[in-house]
Amino acid sequence: MATKSVTLRVEGMSCASCVATIEGAVGNTPGVSKASVNLAAGKLQVAYDPSRVGIQEIAGSVAGVGYEVVPEEVSLNVSGMSCVSCAETIEGALKSFPGVSKALVNFAAGLAKVQYFSDLTSLAEMKETIKGLGYEASEKLEGAALMDREREARQREIRKQGNWMLVAWPLSFVIMLGTFREYWIFPRFVPEFLADRLVLFLLTTPVILGPALQFFKNSFNGLRRGVTDMNLLYATGIGAAYLIGVVNTFWPDAGFGGEKAVFFESAALLTAFIILGRWLEALTRGRTSEAIRRLMALQPKVARVIRGGQEIELPADEVVAEDIVLVRPGERIPVDGLVIEGYSAVDESMLTGESLPVEKKSGDEVIGGTMNKTGAFKFRATKVGKETALAQIIRLVEDAQASKAPIQKLADWVAGHFILGVHILALTVFLFWFFAGYGLFFDPASRFLLTPNQLGAIGVFGFSILLSITVLVISCPCAVGMATPSAMMAGTGKGAEHGVLFKGADAIEATSKLQAIIFDKTGTLTRGEPSVTDVIGTNGFRQEDVLELAAIAEKNSEHPLGEAIFGGAREYGLIVPDADSFEAIPGHGVVARYRDQSILLGNRKLMVEREIHIEPLLGKAEALEDDGKTAMFLAVEGKAAGLIAVADTVKEHSKEAVSLLKKLGLEVIMITGDNRRTGQAIARQVGIDRLLAEVLPHDKAAEVKKLQSEGKKVAMVGDGINDAPALAQSDVGMAIGSGTDVAKETGHVILIKEDLRDVVVALEVAKATMRKVKQNLFWAFAYNTASIPIGAGLFYPFFKLVVSPELAALLMAVSSVTVTLNTLLLKRFSPSIKRGEQKAEPLLGEFAQVPSVK
Amino acid sequence: MARSEDRVATRSAFTYTGTSLGLTLAFFIASGLVGSYPLAARTGGAIWVFILSMIVTMPLITSYFKKKVQG
């Protein structure tokens, strides 16, 4: 039977070694061919043979090593049930689905609660089945429920470790006082009985049986399935320290170091520090994925819909396409749609990064989740549920956060093989100090680092096992494992905040390495539609007259140039009356009559044919054409009246974006299918030096390939549809101005807005994220590289100092928390254009918006 | 399927326990031959060597046998 693939949400993972544990446990389950875990996203991807293993068994393997597979949960409002047996029928039908792990139908509440794996059974299938049985089912608020559940799970972990800290820390503190009672000022206030070994045993035992028990349980479960994890390091460390303490308490003459080597404080403090580390990690780790939670929080819960002429309030997920939705000032827009009535300004910053509210009038598109500011309006719902822009963005960001960057491979390999390596190292360290090191270097006056406690009469076994335990504890690769995914999560979130969606961690890494950027011309650097750029009057005609008369002639034209002239006149504030008559002359222009005047508007050919004297205007026309513009002559009553130039104009921020990219050291290239002269005109305007002109759409990918063969990392910025092959060929394809339909876009990076400066934002976010990744990896590897030799006693022969297991635990906790905190600094990052360092320069002066009249 | 799993578990348990006991015995004998270690230290050391050997060999040998059975 064919292999199936499923993605499961896993809870309880705290560090990179958990990844190896789960991958090992699930990978060793018969019937599973591949298991891959993403720590940051908390997701497990499994390829398995359904004829040999089921989801429940896979979930069992995960549970066996101390983690939990969390199915998706949905609450369905079920109507039409008349008795308890209806509920039982529905429950039975739901349970028969292969992906449903639990189904509970409550007749009284009219509610079905289902736990299921969406990769195997879809919600639609379940609803369909319920409908088939003669009932109606509608979904309750899933996004919010999911968010709550995630938050709850994190809170549960924080609470759990917090509670264990309340046990571990006070007891450890008292145990420490008892152990060091003879030192410093302690004899003055620490009662003598606290130093009694039996009292220390009684105080330590609750720490071992309470907070530390999780490590023993989880490591035992892991070992049974043939996997080793961090818990095993902790369990062997804590267990060995505690057992030696017990032996030396009850049988001090057994020869394990005697009554001076009870190590109870090591066992207790080790537990306390490890729990502190886990608590801090749970506290900080959730914050790196705040972006997704913030996006989910945007989903409004309630919508006001007009149905049957009546205004009704209903859950937002029950709005269907074509519903008329009413939005008042200060309310969030529940779903995507088109405004049909009213006027308002909508704050779309949370989705697009656009800081100014966007005006909305009839015919404009509104996005679900955005905030209505000033007026009330009605809109027709076009996209609902999982089709909305917000749902698509959330899904995209989630997928990106779940992906692994190439740079993570090394960290994963290290973290995955570390545990076994550390145990081999611990064994080697023990054997070295037992057979050679102790006899050669041991000094009874030597001390633990940062404590006054002397090692004294510790025997060869006690000393060797102490260093062996320290190696186990100090070597935790948590920081190495967290370094990349935590920064990637923060980076993708930061990008989303500014309307830049990275489709994966690999996209961030590739973006940070870019050396050249190719911009498509039409629709990317330019607006993609012609508009009036120049108006010149002659023979007593003012520019306003020329524009007005040309607009009158073109008012009923369907030609793009005619539409541009008519649009230009309207933008300039002119009221354009209808022509009395109008005739289009294909390939030449138009002839019209207005108030007994004949108007001719067209190219040279038309003017020559009608014997119009245009020589005085020819020089200016050629100059305009040199700039890539299309010049049209206007003649009134057989006399030349002026010139109008129409061209595709560059977008507002194109020049600034190109200049910023050049400052970042990138080579900027323009690619176009147009002729070289037109291309050069636009390239000149935006400041691009290298032009690839007359390239047919299907040859664009070949041009990208050619640049890549020069050894450059190339990005292609295009509209995502026409440029799909080139976007796919490039190292990073950036689809710009996708608006709300992000799921359809080709490309590795999606820029929601039309603003080309977002290319700069994407680069800056990617570079900042990779900087963070590198810093994190540096600190994590530096910690392990430095700490392991110290823990193993490499410097003991010179300094006579050893690191105690509890100090090792503290250092380990500090390393992983340092990495997470360093990642959190990325939250302060702001792209340069948002910091106001660069200000937009209008390209064509006022003509960029409204035609200027010369 | 369950029977083959049991067979894997038994074979791997015998192998890793045997290997660990072998290493432990080697440690115990070596510590008797080299130097003059107290019996308690030798015993304690042997126990620690056994624990660490089990931890190292258990996952390696279990997954080796599982892979062998699964082909």
Side-chain angles (χ1 to χ4, degrees):
Chain A
M1 194 161 168
T3 303
K4 275 190 106 172
S5 182
V6 66
T7 304
L8 307 170
R9 191 176 285 276
V10 179
E11 271 179 14
M13 292 191 284
S14 59
C15 70
S17 123
C18 305
V19 173
T21 308
I22 296 171
E23 282 178 353
V26 177
N28 284 336
T29 308
V32 172
S33 53
K34 197 184 166 200
S36 169
V37 174
N38 186 294
L39 172 67
K43 281 181 180 169
L44 160 69
Q45 202 168 37
V46 190
Y48 69 105
D49 179 351
S51 65
R52 296 180 63 200
V53 65
I55 291 292
Q56 296 304 336
E57 284 163 276
I58 294 169
S61 295
V62 175
V65 285
Y67 306 93
E68 199 188 344
V69 168
V70 191
E72 284 179 45
E73 202 173 280
V74 67
S75 296
L76 297 169
N77 288 317
V78 182
S79 56
M81 289 191 287
S82 56
C83 62
V84 180
S85 81
C86 298
E88 281 172 7
T89 309
I90 295 170
E91 207 171 286
L94 290 172
K95 279 178 178 167
S96 68
F97 281 109
V100 171
S101 60
K102 198 176 167 189
L104 202 72
V105 182
N106 187 321
F107 161 64
L111 200 71
K113 277 197 167 184
V114 190
Q115 286 185 353
Y116 69 108
F117 300 101
S118 58
D119 279 23
L120 296 173
T121 300
S122 73
L123 187 58
E125 282 174 308
M126 289 191 275
K127 279 179 169 176
E128 220 27 63
T129 301
I130 297 173
K131 266 188 188 168
L133 292 169
Y135 309 97
E136 281 298 323
S138 62
E139 198 180 336
K140 289 198 99 179
L141 298 165
E142 268 314 279
L146 183 67
M147 183 181 67
D148 291 346
R149 225 168 29 245
E150 277 185 2
R151 191 187 297 135
E152 268 171 31
R154 200 161 61 85
Q155 291 298 337
R156 223 174 21 245
E157 177 69 8
I158 293 168
R159 239 188 343 263
K160 182 179 136 192
Q161 302 303 351
N163 287 341
W164 284 134
M165 279 212 300
L166 290 178
V167 178
W169 274 107
L171 284 173
S172 301
F173 184 68
V174 176
I175 293 163
M176 194 185 67
L177 288 179
T179 307
F180 301 123
R181 191 193 165 271
E182 295 167 26
Y183 301 98
W184 198 37
I185 53 167
F186 293 150
R188 287 189 220 161
F189 66 92
V190 179
E192 203 176 335
F193 77 91
L194 266 188
D196 189 281
R197 292 192 308 275
L198 198 63
V199 174
L200 290 175
F201 164 75
L202 290 172
L203 289 170
T204 310
T205 304
V207 178
I208 304 301
L209 297 180
L213 200 63
Q214 53 182 315
F215 310 131
F216 292 99
K217 271 189 192 169
N218 293 341
S219 55
F220 178 69
N221 285 330
L223 277 177
R224 272 198 321 174
R225 282 166 176 78
V227 289
T228 51
D229 69 348
M230 293 317 301
N231 292 297
L232 190 61
L233 293 183
Y234 305 148
T236 37
I238 295 166
Y242 179 71
L243 279 179
I244 292 171
V246 171
V247 171
N248 287 335
T249 300
F250 294 102
W251 303 280
D253 301 325
F256 287 163
E259 54 190 37
K260 286 283 178 193
V262 284
F263 292 142
F264 280 134
E265 89 290 354
S266 289
L269 281 168
L270 194 52
T271 307
F273 277 123
I274 292 166
I275 302 255
L276 171 72
R278 289 212 163 172
W279 179 76
L280 285 174
E281 254 179 46
L283 207 66
T284 50
R285 197 162 59 92
R287 293 193 184 162
T288 55
S289 60
E290 224 168 60
I292 203 94
R293 260 189 287 278
R294 273 215 302 268
L295 282 172
M296 281 180 170
L298 293 179
Q299 288 176 329
K301 294 190 164 120
V302 183
R304 205 172 299 114
V305 175
I306 298 169
R307 279 185 189 169
Q310 283 205 321
E311 189 184 313
I312 53 166
E313 215 170 76
L314 75 176
D317 62 340
E318 285 180 22
V319 177
V320 293
E322 298 299 314
D323 263 343
I324 304 299
V325 185
L326 185 68
V327 187
R328 289 182 182 147
E331 285 180 350
R332 244 176 230 295
I333 296 163
V335 293
D336 295 358
L338 285 172
V339 177
I340 53 167
E341 194 184 312
Y343 174 86
S344 185
V346 174
D347 179 3
E348 295 183 343
S349 60
M350 54 291 277
L351 282 185
T352 64
E354 176 62 61
S355 53
L356 293 173
V358 183
E359 286 182 18
K360 299 288 175 187
K361 56 186 184 308
S362 183
D364 285 346
E365 197 180 43
V366 285
I367 314 169
T370 53
M371 175 66 84
N372 179 30
K373 302 294 265 188
T374 48
F377 63 89
K378 283 180 194 166
F379 72 94
R380 194 176 65 249
T382 52
K383 285 180 193 158
V384 296
K386 287 180 179 170
E387 299 305 311
T388 63
L390 180 60
Q392 288 179 36
I393 290 169
I394 289 172
R395 206 154 48 240
L396 209 66
V397 176
E398 264 185 337
D399 289 348
Q401 292 190 336
S403 64
K404 284 185 183 183
I407 201 170
Q408 203 179 326
K409 280 181 190 152
L410 172 68
D412 275 0
W413 188 88
V414 171
H417 292 77
F418 219 63
I419 316 294
L420 212 59
V422 167
H423 277 93
I424 294 170
L425 186 66
L427 187 61
T428 313
V429 166
F430 177 78
L431 293 174
F432 169 78
W433 286 103
F434 191 91
F435 285 114
Y438 184 84
L440 288 171
F441 307 114
F442 182 70
D443 177 358
S446 51
R447 287 183 297 110
F448 284 117
L449 190 67
L450 302 178
T451 71
N453 207 7
Q454 286 191 338
L455 292 171
I458 193 168
V460 60
F461 169 68
F463 186 74
S464 308
I465 202 172
L466 184 81
L467 290 172
S468 188
I469 292 170
T470 303
V471 167
L472 287 178
V473 176
I474 213 164
S475 311
C476 171
C478 285
V480 176
M482 282 306 290
T484 309
S486 67
M488 286 297 176
M489 283 189 84
T492 41
K494 185 53 79 178
E497 229 175 76
H498 297 286
V500 176
L501 304 175
F502 292 96
K503 277 198 175 169
D506 48 347
I508 295 191
E509 190 170 340
T511 306
S512 74
K513 290 177 182 165
L514 288 175
Q515 293 159 307
I517 293 204
I518 305 176
F519 283 100
D520 175 48
K521 182 185 81 81
T522 311
T524 303
L525 283 167
T526 65
R527 289 191 168 86
E529 50 191 44
S531 56
V532 176
T533 56
D534 303 81
V535 180
I536 298 162
T538 189
N539 287 336
F541 284 90
R542 295 174 307 150
Q543 287 94 342
E544 287 93 330
D545 304 331
V546 173
L547 189 59
E548 188 184 9
L549 290 166
I552 291 168
E554 292 280 17
K555 189 173 179 184
N556 296 312
S557 166
E558 284 173 3
H559 193 280
L561 296 180
E563 284 174 3
I565 292 172
F566 179 65
R570 282 187 55 161
E571 263 184 51
Y572 194 67
L574 298 175
I575 296 161
V576 184
D578 283 331
D580 302 328
S581 67
F582 162 84
E583 187 197 348
I585 306 165
H588 289 76
V590 292
V591 183
R593 282 204 76 80
Y594 174 67
R595 288 186 186 166
D596 291 332
Q597 292 182 102
S598 74
I599 306 170
L600 276 179
L601 181 70
N603 55 19
R604 283 183 187 79
K605 255 189 203 168
L606 179 69
M607 297 297 142
V608 171
E609 273 178 18
R610 303 291 170 113
E611 294 174 351
I612 309 292
H613 180 67
I614 53 166
E615 274 70 28
L617 290 169
L618 282 176
K620 286 174 184 168
E622 272 163 24
L624 290 168
E625 282 163 352
D626 279 343
D627 281 343
K629 298 170 183 174
T630 305
M632 283 188 290
F633 299 88
L634 179 82
V636 178
E637 289 290 292
K639 267 171 67 183
L643 254 182
I644 288 190
V646 173
D648 186 5
T649 51
V650 296
K651 284 182 188 167
E652 193 183 354
H653 298 298
S654 297
K655 189 179 180 184
E656 188 189 355
V658 170
S659 141
L660 287 168
L661 288 168
K662 281 182 170 175
K663 272 187 200 158
L664 286 173
L666 277 97
E667 185 185 359
V668 186
I669 301 153
M670 189 178 95
I671 197 163
T672 178
D674 283 355
N675 63 60
R676 183 157 289 276
R677 196 171 70 166
T678 311
Q680 259 168 352
I682 297 291
R684 218 173 22 244
Q685 284 179 51
V686 294
I688 290 178
D689 311 314
R690 190 168 171 187
L691 167 72
L692 303 170
E694 289 159 42
V695 182
L696 296 171
H698 55 270
D699 291 334
K700 285 182 181 173
E703 290 292 338
V704 172
K705 212 170 179 178
K706 220 185 275 173
L707 273 165
Q708 285 170 324
S709 68
E710 291 172 19
K712 288 174 182 156
K713 297 280 177 204
V714 182
M716 168 80 199
V717 187
D719 61 15
I721 301 156
N722 299 332
D723 304 319
L727 291 176
Q729 173 60 43
S730 59
D731 296 286
V732 178
M734 295 193 189
I736 189 158
S738 67
T740 55
D741 214 356
V742 294
K744 282 186 188 162
E745 290 298 347
T746 326
H748 311 94
V749 181
I750 292 169
L751 311 174
I752 295 179
K753 284 178 291 168
E754 287 278 346
D755 193 337
L756 267 193
R757 293 176 305 171
D758 282 350
V759 175
V760 184
V761 173
L763 265 144
E764 287 180 347
V765 169
K767 279 177 189 283
T769 306
M770 289 313 294
R771 254 198 316 274
K772 224 25 106 183
V773 167
K774 284 172 189 165
Q775 282 169 9
N776 284 352
L777 282 175
F778 171 79
W779 286 116
F781 277 117
Y783 162 80
N784 275 320
T785 313
S787 63
I788 293 175
I790 296 170
L794 191 70
F795 302 111
Y796 179 78
F798 316 106
F799 304 107
K800 302 294 176 202
L801 285 168
V802 286
V803 178
S804 62
E806 56 265 37
L807 183 61
L810 174 68
L811 290 173
M812 182 272 296
V814 167
S815 76
S816 34
V817 171
T818 307
V819 160
T820 318
L821 288 177
N822 186 43
T823 295
L824 287 176
L825 289 179
L826 202 58
K827 288 175 106 183
R828 290 179 5 199
F829 169 82
S830 176
S832 58
I833 55 162
K834 304 282 157 114
R835 291 196 299 263
E837 285 179 8
Q838 314 288 337
K839 281 189 181 159
E841 295 163 26
L843 287 170
L844 299 172
E846 287 178 3
F847 226 111
Q849 299 299 325
V850 178
S852 68
V853 177
K854 293 173 188 170
Chain B
M1 193 165 73
R3 223 170 52 197
S4 74
E5 262 185 71
D6 286 347
R7 213 172 54 234
V8 167
T10 316
R11 279 182 71 183
S12 40
F14 269 114
T15 314
Y16 59 69
T17 311
T19 311
S20 304
L21 281 173
L23 286 169
T24 307
L25 191 67
F27 171 84
F28 198 75
I29 293 168
S31 60
L33 295 173
V34 186
S36 50
Y37 294 102
L39 184 65
R42 289 175 66 201
T43 314
I47 294 168
W48 187 238
V49 169
F50 178 71
I51 293 171
L52 291 181
S53 305
M54 284 287 277
I55 289 170
V56 170
T57 55
M58 201 187 278
L60 289 178
I61 288 169
T62 309
S63 64
Y64 169 75
F65 277 111
K66 271 188 182 169
K67 273 180 192 150
K68 217 172 149 187
V69 167
Q70 283 169 14

